[in-house]
Amino acid sequence: MPTNKTPFTFHINDDHLEKLRFIAKKETRSVSNLIEHICIIYIKEYELENGTIEEEYSCF
């Protein structure tokens, strides 16, 4: 099934990855889905404290 999600590669400590795998298994998720879920939660919390991030996001 096609997806509209952009692939993204990053570096992570081996210990953190193993812990993410453990959590993902407990929550019946893939690691990729867990990381996406964590990002969504963090963005929502950030926006509650700092206001909505506009679609242009250009701060670079």
Side-chain angles (χ1 to χ4, degrees):
M1 180 181 339
T3 180
N4 63 348
K5 297 178 182 180
T6 304
F8 183 78
T9 303
F10 66 99
H11 301 274
I12 187 169
N13 176 290
D14 288 340
D15 293 335
H16 294 150
L17 180 57
E18 287 307 312
K19 289 179 181 186
L20 286 173
R21 285 182 175 141
F22 176 86
I23 294 166
K25 187 173 181 180
K26 288 285 188 178
E27 294 188 4
T28 319
R29 296 177 183 268
S30 66
V31 172
S32 178
N33 180 263
L34 176 63
I35 292 169
E36 182 179 15
H37 180 68
I38 291 166
C39 288
I40 290 167
I41 290 170
Y42 185 85
I43 291 167
K44 285 180 182 178
E45 289 176 4
Y46 181 92
E47 288 185 324
L48 281 173
E49 291 180 21
N50 300 284
T52 302
I53 300 170
E54 299 301 323
E55 296 264 342
E56 295 175 13
Y57 343 102
S58 60
C59 59
F60 301 102

